[in-house]
Amino acid sequence: MPRLVVVSNRVSIPDPAAKTAAGGLAVALKDVLESHRGLWFGWSGKVAAQPSLHPTIIEKGSVQYALMDLSSQDRQEYYSGFANRALWPTMHYRIGLSEFSRADYAGYLRVNRSFARALAGLVRPDDVIWVHDYHLIPLASELRQLGLQNRIGYFHHIPWPSPEVLGTLPGSNDLLRAMMDYDLVGVQTDRDADNLRRNLVQEIGATPRRSDLVELGDKRMRIKGFPVGIDVEGFQGGALRAGSHRLVRQAREALDSRSLIMAVDRLDYSKGIPERMEAFERFLINNPEQRGRVTFLQVAPTSRADVPEYAQLSRQVNETLGRINGDLGEPGWVPIHYTTSAYPRSVLGALFRLSRVGLVTPLRDGMNLVAKEYVVAQDPADPGVLILSKFAGAAQQLGEALIVNPSDKVEVADAIRDALGMSLSERIRRWRPMMATLKTCDVRWWADAFMRELTRRTPAPAEREAREHAAPPA
Ligand code: GDG
């Protein structure tokens, strides 16, 4: 079995002393790295006076971790700048929020080049390399320029937009050309795969060969949807264990006999947090008999606080929340509870299990793992109802949720009313098939499927043409 090298912006080193359990993705990657005696390379998360030229190596069990420090200029231009102020909003269809600067773009390319140089010194000829996410799109191209011929795959965790949208970002055609140096590109959904293919064909003249293969010159790349899953047993176990946690007990007591509606997101404008609060307000206005009988809890840990658009979102959320609670609250009842602190994963699971409704309404999301975690945490005998945005990748797999347009406040308000009034038999009927899908397509299935496809041989053009023209078997 070839050794696996995982590359991602941040590296998650297992820490037995950590208070919060690692996320599902870290668990899956650790699993697949252990079974391939692998190496995980990326940014340490630290800013140093001088950026690293060589990584610091840490060994844990059969896995090696290789960590690079960034200078403060690198962090600003590569991470906060181009990745999070230009690529992130554009990929989420928010071109009005995208802030392109040539200095940031140069910093993004510089960090990718320096990562490639440091990584090249560690890679063996038969290693398989798996790169993650939009911070590192040009990495394969930089590695190829250093002469590496290894099998290299890339997984894109966020949406891939249409050519009309991505084409607004300066430099996007260079990024598309750089993508062609991957052997395999994985995206969350078929819609993302279709958009990426259209970008490559329309913008840089690639030739589609099959629905999952494009060519440009002598380069060939496969594109496929691999919907990322979650660690079903791990999340379920945590949700059950944390039922008696202090925070969960307090929440249960404070609720009294009220129904709980839960939402959990990083504080990010792609998640539709103010829009969701306004939809809840609309629900309370349209259904006055529900006032005092339902509580909405929004957990939204602060994220990317040094990016100005996130500070602006934080102000907008506080204003919306204050206005709604001021307008509709009553003595003894606050309609919306809001916290920007991160809770332990197991506590989130227990709160999901306690809640009657999971409100997952991003304006755009690659997958959205919270939707999956909500389903998995439910009591099979008395499950809550998931309300899910049609613009989350998860909606492609969780069609039994109440699917809504997150920008339509009346539609979301009506879905909240329907969810609260839904019969037990209907709730079970909707929950069972979603749970079955999540069990089958869990995070280990996802990692295995990607690795199987990456290590599969792609036929050379001549070989393929010969096969396509061969007589059908008798
Ligand atoms: C990107 C893509 C794609 C949230 N609050 C707390 C907490 N969380 C955890 C959730 C969930 C994770 O963070 C968030 O994952 P999402 O998928 O919802 O969103 P992104 O962070 O934007 O992730 C997304 C994902 O990559 C994977 O491919 O699905 O579309 O945008 O697991 O539970 N965890 C803890 N405390 C919190 O307060 N411990």
Side-chain angles (χ1 to χ4, degrees):
M1 194 192 304
R3 185 176 74 148
L4 171 65
V5 176
V6 166
V7 190
S8 59
N9 174 54
R10 290 296 300 274
V11 173
S12 163
I13 303 180
D15 175 6
K19 293 216 174 61
T20 56
L25 208 57
V27 171
L29 291 176
K30 184 169 160 285
D31 258 18
V32 60
L33 277 164
E34 272 169 2
S35 60
H36 289 75
R37 296 177 327 284
L39 169 73
W40 192 343
F41 179 100
W43 177 29
S44 61
K46 291 190 197 134
V47 169
Q50 291 300 323
S52 313
L53 294 175
H54 304 288
T56 304
I57 307 282
I58 297 173
E59 307 226 353
K60 295 247 174 185
S62 57
V63 181
Q64 279 190 323
Y65 298 85
L67 304 172
M68 300 283 285
D69 295 342
L70 295 179
S71 69
S72 114
Q73 184 187 356
D74 282 350
R75 184 193 184 283
Q76 184 55 41
E77 293 174 350
Y78 146 82
Y79 178 70
S80 300
F82 189 70
N84 284 333
R85 284 194 89 186
L87 272 177
W88 175 273
T90 307
M91 294 275 184
H92 285 86
Y93 294 72
R94 300 294 290 273
I95 51 182
L97 293 179
S98 184
E99 283 291 329
F100 175 82
S101 110
R102 288 208 182 271
D104 288 349
Y105 185 43
Y108 176 81
L109 296 176
R110 183 177 66 243
V111 169
N112 270 273
R113 179 160 304 159
S114 87
F115 275 17
R117 285 195 182 130
L119 180 61
L122 302 173
V123 171
R124 303 172 195 150
D126 59 348
D127 285 348
V128 169
I129 304 173
W130 184 3
V131 179
H132 288 262
D133 234 357
Y134 59 100
H135 315 86
L136 298 170
I137 292 173
L139 196 76
S141 167
E142 295 292 343
L143 289 169
R144 299 285 185 227
Q145 286 172 50
L146 297 170
L148 267 75
Q149 294 179 351
N150 301 59
R151 194 54 71 95
I152 313 181
Y154 169 81
F155 188 79
H156 191 71
H157 289 260
I158 65 177
W160 198 285
S162 64
E164 293 73 19
V165 172
L166 189 61
T168 60
L169 181 68
S172 56
N173 282 0
D174 293 338
L175 292 180
L176 290 170
R177 272 186 283 275
M179 301 277 305
M180 291 300 304
D181 279 308
Y182 288 102
D183 297 290
L184 171 68
V185 170
V187 287
Q188 301 276 22
T189 66
D190 290 346
R191 178 168 54 196
D192 299 312
D194 186 49
N195 279 340
L196 171 56
R197 207 169 20 250
R198 289 199 298 126
N199 272 278
L200 293 165
V201 172
Q202 291 176 25
E203 300 293 317
I204 61 164
T207 310
R209 284 295 174 203
R210 289 191 318 243
S211 63
D212 64 346
L213 189 75
V214 290
E215 283 180 5
L216 185 69
D218 59 353
K219 293 176 182 169
R220 266 184 314 290
M221 180 178 89
R222 273 173 294 145
I223 305 170
K224 233 180 137 183
F226 298 90
V228 65
I230 65 166
D231 173 15
V232 172
E233 280 165 27
F235 199 82
Q236 227 170 10
L240 284 172
R241 261 197 323 279
S244 53
H245 191 284
R246 178 183 56 82
L247 289 167
V248 181
R249 280 203 323 265
Q250 278 172 1
R252 203 179 284 118
E253 279 160 25
L255 270 176
D256 205 357
S257 59
R258 294 187 191 102
S259 302
L260 176 63
I261 300 176
M262 270 291 285
V264 175
D265 315 80
R266 277 183 311 98
L267 186 51
D268 191 297
Y269 51 77
S270 65
K271 306 292 182 183
I273 298 169
E275 292 81 358
R276 183 182 307 150
M277 288 179 170
E278 284 172 355
F280 180 64
E281 175 189 33
R282 172 56 41 206
F283 160 76
L284 292 175
I285 292 171
N286 288 0
N287 302 275
E289 74 287 356
Q290 290 285 354
R291 293 189 197 176
R293 296 173 62 185
V294 54
T295 295
F296 174 28
L297 171 59
Q298 170 74 63
V299 178
T302 306
S303 174
R304 305 176 191 168
D306 56 338
V307 175
E309 291 74 22
Y310 287 72
Q312 163 59 24
L313 171 71
S314 175
R315 284 192 294 274
Q316 187 192 352
V317 170
N318 284 327
E319 274 172 30
T320 309
L321 168 82
R323 184 182 57 71
I324 298 171
N325 281 343
D327 285 353
L328 298 174
E330 292 164 5
W333 176 60
V334 178
I336 306 178
H337 290 243
Y338 173 63
T339 170
T340 54
S341 313
Y343 283 14
R345 276 175 78 68
S346 56
V347 168
L348 291 181
L351 291 172
F352 286 156
R353 200 175 168 91
L354 192 63
S355 62
R356 181 37 47 102
V357 179
L359 200 46
V360 184
T361 53
L363 303 178
R364 196 63 72 164
D365 219 325
M367 176 54 59
N368 195 300
L369 298 180
V370 172
K372 297 187 168 184
E373 292 164 356
Y374 182 79
V375 170
V376 158
Q378 296 310 303
D379 176 356
D382 186 17
V385 179
L386 175 65
I387 298 177
L388 180 58
S389 161
K390 66 180 186 177
F391 299 119
Q396 306 293 312
Q397 288 177 295
L398 303 178
E400 293 82 7
L402 297 182
I403 304 289
V404 293
N405 176 350
S407 301
D408 186 340
K409 295 184 182 78
V410 174
E411 187 178 309
V412 177
D414 288 352
I416 296 174
R417 180 202 58 210
D418 294 349
L420 289 170
M422 196 178 281
S423 68
L424 175 63
S425 60
E426 175 72 1
R427 283 186 276 129
I428 293 177
R429 186 190 70 72
R430 287 174 178 270
W431 176 78
R432 276 192 184 148
M434 294 197 281
M435 187 63 187
T437 302
L438 296 179
K439 269 189 176 160
T440 311
C441 304
D442 71 353
V443 72
R444 289 180 180 90
W445 166 88
W446 167 79
D448 288 347
F450 187 91
M451 283 303 290
R452 235 190 344 270
E453 193 66 32
L454 180 58
T455 47
R456 195 166 68 83
R457 222 170 68 78
T458 314
E463 199 183 319
R464 211 182 42 248
E465 251 159 52
R467 215 174 44 203
E468 276 161 14
H469 293 114

